[in-house]
Amino acid sequence: MIKAILLVLGMCLSFAQTCLAVDAQDWDLQGRYFYKQGDMQRSIVAFNQAIDADDKFTDSYFNRALVYVQIKDLKAAESDFDRFLRQESEKKIFFTFDIADIFIKNSQPDVAKKYITKAIDAQPPPKAYVLRSKINAALGKPKDALEDASRALELDRSYNMAYYEAGNANMLLGNYDKALLDLNKFVDLNPDNADGLIARAYILYKQGDKKNSLSDYNKAVAINPKYKDLIPKDLR
């Protein structure tokens, strides 16, 4: 009996919380509350109400998109992110990095590239070019990847991740000498970065420099043991 009463009280409290929402911001708060509780269905209903109350309250489009990501409705998420970004404020444009990252993690590199391009079109920081370089490499477009990494370096010669992406693109293109120059600069700036060491070790191995290749492989493995399996058999 007590459990039944508590259940009814809980339902009433949930209903009361929903009924207290009187404007878009209130509905948005309700949507975020249900999202945190893991109740995606009620969360979407609340964000729908927020948008119906004021379709210019664009935070609800962003928040509803996050719910769609959780339930793997990526088309609906993309649509809501697009609506959120239509207000071309500088603040919103820089959300494109986070949005792009969401689609990268959900194996949607083409969609991620679209959002990074939006950031570049609005204001081309080195980070945007580096991210798009990484995406282009994943899409099998190393020439475009190299072009974006080079643009990032034109904007900021000290932006170290641009050297890594340039090295990766040159490696994919078979330009091992150029790749080694880029990766040398990256490793000089990031001596404890296992990814950079592994990439340079691979280039050195392809060039026949097994001694220095093994040295880089061992340094990378010391930082992250998972790279042990990447060491070529004839170097072990």
Side-chain angles (χ1 to χ4, degrees):
M1 175 65 101
I2 293 176
K3 287 184 178 180
I5 293 172
L6 290 173
L7 178 62
V8 171
L9 286 173
M11 292 172 63
C12 290
L13 178 60
S14 177
F15 178 76
Q17 285 174 327
T18 303
C19 290
L20 286 172
V22 294
D23 61 18
Q25 189 168 7
D26 287 334
W27 282 114
D28 187 76
L29 286 171
Q30 287 300 311
R32 283 186 276 169
Y33 168 79
F34 287 125
Y35 178 82
K36 290 179 180 178
Q37 296 300 310
D39 191 337
M40 301 304 162
Q41 185 175 357
R42 286 188 179 183
S43 182
I44 288 175
V45 169
F47 289 133
N48 288 346
Q49 292 288 348
I51 291 166
D52 287 343
D54 183 359
D55 62 1
K56 293 181 181 179
F57 188 73
T58 56
D59 286 3
S60 292
Y61 285 113
F62 184 88
N63 292 328
R64 188 173 67 178
L66 294 178
V67 181
Y68 284 134
V69 169
Q70 288 297 315
I71 63 174
K72 300 300 180 183
D73 189 347
L74 298 180
K75 282 290 183 184
E78 182 182 355
S79 177
D80 272 356
F81 282 135
D82 285 344
R83 291 176 184 176
F84 170 76
L85 290 171
R86 278 185 194 138
Q87 288 192 1
E88 296 291 334
S89 68
E90 182 177 338
K91 179 182 177 181
K92 284 184 169 59
I93 281 297
F94 279 92
F95 272 93
T96 56
F97 298 116
D98 297 323
I99 295 170
D101 189 53
I102 287 170
F103 284 101
I104 290 172
K105 290 177 179 176
N106 282 276
S107 302
Q108 299 281 321
D110 285 313
V111 179
K113 183 178 177 180
K114 179 185 81 170
Y115 289 109
I116 292 301
T117 299
K118 282 180 180 287
I120 290 173
D121 290 343
Q123 183 179 352
K127 180 180 179 181
Y129 280 119
V130 166
L131 285 173
R132 193 169 71 176
S133 176
K134 183 176 182 179
I135 293 167
N136 276 323
L139 289 171
K141 299 179 179 178
K143 289 184 178 179
D144 292 341
L146 181 57
E147 184 178 337
D148 278 338
S150 298
R151 287 178 179 175
L153 289 170
E154 288 173 6
L155 291 170
D156 186 352
R157 301 297 299 181
S158 65
Y159 197 73
N160 61 75
M161 284 307 299
Y163 289 110
Y164 178 84
E165 294 303 334
N168 184 53
N170 272 315
M171 179 177 65
L172 293 172
L173 290 167
N175 302 329
Y176 295 133
D177 289 341
K178 292 180 179 178
L180 184 59
L181 290 174
D182 292 325
L183 291 169
N184 281 342
K185 291 178 181 177
F186 178 75
V187 173
D188 286 345
L189 293 167
N190 304 271
D192 296 324
N193 186 287
D195 291 332
L197 288 165
I198 282 291
R200 189 172 70 175
Y202 175 79
I203 296 297
L204 290 168
Y205 179 77
K206 295 295 286 186
Q207 291 183 324
D209 188 351
K210 293 184 177 182
K211 180 181 178 181
N212 286 316
S213 175
L214 181 58
S215 175
D216 273 355
Y217 275 122
N218 287 335
K219 289 176 184 176
V221 171
I223 296 167
N224 192 333
K226 75 175 184 179
Y227 287 120
K228 185 176 181 180
D229 292 338
L230 296 180
I231 300 177
K233 291 182 179 180
D234 61 328
L235 293 184
R236 296 179 188 179

